[in-house]
Amino acid sequence: MSAATPGFTSTIYFPGIPNINEELHAPSIATTLTAALFVLFMGIAPVFWASFSDFYQIRRFWLIVTMIVYVVSSIGSAVIDNIWGMVVLRCVQAIGASAGQSIGGGVIADMYPVEKRGSAYGKFFLGLIVGPIIGPIIGGFLIMSDLTWRATFWFCVAFGAVVVITTFFFMPETYRDDKRWETGALPTTTPSKVDDHSISSETISIHGAGNIGEKSSELPESAPEPKKKLNPIQPFFLLRYPHILLSSIVGGIAFGSMFSIASVMPTLFGMTYGFKSWQIGLCFIGSGVGNVLAAVLNSKISDRLLLRARAKRGGRHKVEDRLTINLWPAILVFLPLGLLLFGWSVEKRMSYWVGIVSFGILAFGMNQVMTSTSAYLLDAAPGQGASATAAGNLVRMVMACALTLGSTPMMEKVGPGYLTVFLAALCWLGAGFLFINKVYGHPIRRHFGVEQEAERKT
């Protein structure tokens, strides 16, 4: 529920944008900023929540605190009478809603081993992705009430209150120290033999399977573990590793393309087909179906394909096995096909069903790319699940913000057809980044000293 909150909050008011423009006398750039800055802060804030969560070794407390911030800012958005005040409140709303995205990834890393993490993350990611899709559908019907667009934010208040109560009463604390409980992160002892009856002093070798970026070192067995320091921007530094950055960019291209289409869809369908708010909301059903189908597929094949790749290697672990074969048709075919069909069908004023179905094809491809690359970040950074998720989320949301801000003026200049040509070209570029990570990810991690213990050749 926490993971779905930022997604549907980002889009639930989309069908009411024309009403907001009219009632608050808002210029189009202002309403665009309510969406673009929301996703930007959705990317920045989780970095800090993840850092706090990993440092203080708690998950549940931060989920509750941030959802209270979300509820309060949603109340403000429901009663505001100034568009620029709404822009500010939407930023605060994003800060409160976004913790579930990064901390949720940490919860999955706490509770599931690598071999089952893909299926679990597929279910978790369904909430992340379905949120932006069901938001406009719910919002389209809420706007039909006497409260019009304000009803969407009152719905956010009620939903946030339910999440706070549910988390407080039913969610246990899940934080787990991987260094203590995961075999791959346990220290190994290397005795120095003196004779058949005695053993000299032992050393403990700590390998890169712990926190990413820590190269092997030797410490006396009795030496205490250095005290950790709070560094709220530590997740940012994970992006200096090429395998983390490339996977994040690929996910950012996929999500940003989908979100930019979702942001222009209400205007396009309203102008082209004369749709009302509730009809525009229903047009998002196609993408909802695509996301559900992709989530079901991922839950069935992700971990199975990982284990098959590992079996071919004699059971030896490799992080890049998480980048499974289904990613290639998803990013090379489904994503570009969905984008191009959508743009040119609206450009040529074809049946609106073509646009709805093509948006579903786009969502089907996007979900597979996002789920696998996000699960890869968790596997590549053991012990830093929340921080790795936050780093990837930052890149995704920054790219979504940039593409959203640019999509409306680009559409006005060249039309929706050529807008989707640009987005499809980005997807093919992302496929190149994905290829680099798949083929050269392991050597890159070895070069930077973050190869995991289970991958080391004996």
Side-chain angles (χ1 to χ4, degrees):
M1 293 176 71
S2 295
T5 303
F8 85 80
T9 305
S10 66
T11 59
I12 192 171
Y13 74 109
F14 275 9
I17 285 178
N19 305 78
I20 295 174
N21 289 336
E22 180 180 354
E23 184 176 336
L24 302 184
H25 308 289
S28 59
I29 185 61
T31 48
T32 300
L33 284 173
T34 62
L37 292 182
F38 185 93
V39 296
L40 178 62
F41 278 85
M42 273 174 59
I44 296 174
V47 175
F48 294 89
W49 298 134
S51 182
F52 295 150
S53 175
D54 286 341
F55 177 79
Y56 291 107
Q57 301 186 353
I58 51 176
R59 312 285 194 205
R60 179 174 171 270
F61 171 79
W62 296 113
L63 290 175
I64 294 173
V65 169
T66 54
M67 285 308 297
I68 292 174
V69 173
Y70 169 78
V71 170
V72 174
S73 58
S74 297
I75 294 174
S77 298
V79 300
I80 196 74
D81 287 321
N82 180 277
I83 185 60
W84 299 110
M86 177 181 284
V87 170
V88 174
L89 284 171
R90 287 283 289 169
C91 296
V92 178
Q93 197 179 32
I95 292 171
S98 59
Q101 291 183 314
S102 57
I103 296 179
V107 170
I108 290 175
D110 295 336
M111 298 179 64
Y112 293 92
V114 172
E115 294 80 5
K116 297 181 179 180
R117 206 171 278 170
S119 177
Y121 207 87
K123 297 180 179 69
F124 169 75
F125 216 79
L126 179 62
L128 290 178
I129 298 303
V130 169
I133 306 308
I134 66 173
I137 299 173
I138 297 173
F141 286 100
L142 290 173
I143 289 168
M144 296 172 63
S145 69
D146 293 337
L147 293 173
T148 65
W149 61 270
R150 298 182 188 274
T152 62
F153 291 107
W154 285 117
F155 179 87
C156 293
V157 173
F159 186 86
V162 171
V163 174
V164 170
I165 294 171
T166 304
T167 305
F168 182 82
F169 286 105
F170 299 106
M171 180 181 173
E173 177 56 55
T174 65
Y175 185 88
R176 181 181 65 167
D177 188 349
D178 286 333
K179 289 184 178 180
R180 296 179 58 189
W181 300 112
E182 279 193 9
T183 303
L186 288 173
T188 58
T189 58
T190 306
S192 301
K193 187 174 180 181
V194 177
D195 54 42
D196 293 338
H197 306 287
S198 64
I199 296 179
S200 67
S201 60
E202 297 177 333
T203 61
I204 298 179
S205 180
I206 311 286
H207 294 290
N211 284 359
I212 189 168
E214 293 182 4
K215 296 188 178 182
S216 301
S217 60
E218 291 191 351
L219 297 171
E221 187 175 12
S222 59
E225 185 178 344
K227 186 177 180 180
K228 294 168 60 178
K229 294 182 179 180
L230 175 62
N231 184 0
I233 63 173
Q234 182 180 3
F236 286 108
F237 298 139
L238 292 177
L239 296 174
R240 73 184 186 273
Y241 298 107
H243 64 290
I244 298 288
L245 179 61
L246 288 176
S247 291
S248 301
I249 290 175
V250 173
I253 290 173
F255 180 77
S257 298
M258 186 279 297
F259 196 84
S260 62
I261 294 299
S263 67
V264 300
M265 190 174 181
T267 302
L268 279 176
F269 274 47
M271 293 174 58
T272 306
Y273 304 112
F275 280 7
K276 298 179 181 179
S277 295
W278 67 271
Q279 292 172 313
I280 292 173
L282 290 176
C283 291
F284 285 81
I285 290 179
S287 56
V289 173
N291 272 295
V292 171
L293 291 177
V296 172
L297 178 66
N298 279 324
S299 66
K300 296 291 184 182
I301 69 172
S302 178
D303 294 327
R304 191 175 302 175
L305 290 174
L306 180 144
L307 292 173
R308 188 180 72 173
R310 186 179 296 181
K312 289 182 178 179
R313 204 179 295 105
R316 189 163 58 88
H317 169 69
K318 186 178 178 182
V319 175
E320 283 66 34
D321 291 340
R322 180 61 69 190
L323 303 176
T324 48
I325 194 171
N326 61 300
L327 285 179
W328 303 110
I331 196 167
L332 288 172
V333 179
F334 290 112
L335 272 167
L337 176 63
L339 286 164
L340 294 172
L341 273 178
F342 180 90
W344 289 106
S345 67
V346 178
E347 178 98 2
K348 301 300 181 181
R349 295 182 176 271
M350 298 169 64
S351 170
Y352 57 82
W353 281 109
V354 179
I356 293 173
V357 173
S358 61
F359 199 15
I361 296 172
L362 167 61
F364 180 77
M366 182 273 301
N367 188 295
Q368 293 183 70
V369 173
M370 289 280 287
T371 301
S372 294
T373 54
S374 298
Y376 172 80
L377 293 178
L378 288 179
D379 295 349
Q384 292 179 292
S387 295
T389 303
N393 186 65
L394 171 67
V395 175
R396 286 197 296 268
M397 297 309 167
V398 168
M399 294 189 69
C401 175
L403 290 175
T404 300
L405 286 173
S407 59
T408 299
M410 184 179 293
M411 183 184 66
E412 293 173 350
K413 290 287 185 181
V414 300
Y418 284 106
L419 168 64
T420 55
V421 168
F422 169 73
L423 295 175
L426 281 182
C427 291
W428 286 317
L429 177 64
F433 293 153
L434 189 64
F435 177 80
I436 294 172
N437 227 20
K438 177 67 175 179
V439 176
Y440 301 105
H442 188 192
I444 288 173
R445 289 185 293 106
R446 181 188 298 151
H447 174 75
F448 282 89
V450 293
E451 183 184 30
Q452 296 182 15
E453 175 65 23
E455 298 175 296
R456 298 177 188 274
K457 294 182 180 180
T458 56

